[in-house]
Amino acid sequence: MANTYTKIHIQFVFCVKYRTGLIQSAWKSDLYKYITGIVQQQEHKLLAINGMPDHIHIFTGMRPTQSISDLMQDIKGGSSKWINNNNFINGKFEWQEGYGAFSYGASQIPEVIEYIRNQEEHHRHRTFLEEYRGFLQKFAIDFDERYIFKEPL
């Protein structure tokens, strides 16, 4: 698009269905590469990706050619199909419905990248639900507790 200039940075947070810790270290890196490919195929820029066995954080520089919901559908649908096709788990892998999408200014990029890279350290001190509620509160997002990610079974 001629004469269209944007700088849109979004952190996505989503989790495995029922927050079951199914993402295994043996294939986590390949999953992140696969998701990176989905993001790049849609001509967005992946700035950081990391997570825990039950959830993922993705930080992107988004182009305005695709909606946030369409990108999330591509990432979640494509990656769950990839996991299932590779038989990484017994049974069917699914992502939980919904996601968080949080926007940041250019000056915040290094801080967000560092936060995502240090997920293991953060989760020594905070659970995923504490972290997620913290994002919702920090960004002043009204939410209904009934629709927060489900507790592990």
Side-chain angles (χ1 to χ4, degrees):
M1 290 182 269
N3 297 318
T4 300
Y5 305 101
T6 63
K7 202 69 141 160
I8 304 167
H9 301 100
I10 307 287
Q11 178 184 191
F12 297 98
V13 182
F14 56 98
C15 63
V16 176
K17 190 167 187 177
Y18 303 116
R19 291 197 20 253
T20 308
L22 296 177
I23 301 172
Q24 300 166 17
S25 58
W27 49 270
K28 175 174 77 169
S29 177
D30 289 333
L31 172 63
Y32 293 170
K33 288 175 189 173
Y34 190 82
I35 291 172
T36 298
I38 293 171
V39 171
Q40 291 174 340
Q41 183 180 13
Q42 297 299 332
E43 299 184 350
H44 306 295
K45 182 177 182 180
L46 190 112
L47 300 170
I49 184 170
N50 197 10
M52 298 298 290
D54 67 343
H55 74 278
I56 290 183
H57 293 253
I58 300 171
F59 189 39
T60 64
M62 284 201 61
R63 294 172 45 90
T65 55
Q66 184 180 34
S67 70
I68 288 172
S69 59
D70 285 348
L71 176 60
M72 285 308 301
Q73 184 175 16
D74 289 347
I75 290 171
K76 290 171 79 174
S79 61
S80 61
K81 183 177 180 180
W82 178 82
I83 291 167
N84 287 318
N85 287 345
N86 282 286
N87 297 308
F88 286 132
I89 67 164
N90 293 325
K92 183 179 178 186
F93 180 91
E94 295 179 74
W95 296 109
Q96 190 155 318
E97 286 186 39
Y99 56 86
F102 309 101
S103 61
Y104 294 88
S107 66
Q108 298 169 298
I109 292 171
E111 179 184 333
V112 176
I113 290 171
E114 188 67 18
Y115 180 85
I116 291 172
R117 285 184 180 155
N118 289 313
Q119 277 296 289
E120 292 82 3
E121 178 61 29
H122 297 304
H123 288 290
R124 286 189 186 118
H125 309 289
R126 296 176 82 182
T127 68
F128 170 72
L129 286 178
E130 290 170 336
E131 175 188 50
Y132 193 70
R133 283 186 187 104
F135 279 121
L136 295 173
Q137 292 164 353
K138 176 181 176 183
F139 285 87
I141 297 172
D142 290 331
F143 63 95
D144 186 327
E145 196 65 40
R146 293 175 298 171
Y147 300 109
I148 295 294
F149 292 116
K150 306 285 186 255
E151 291 287 348
L153 293 176

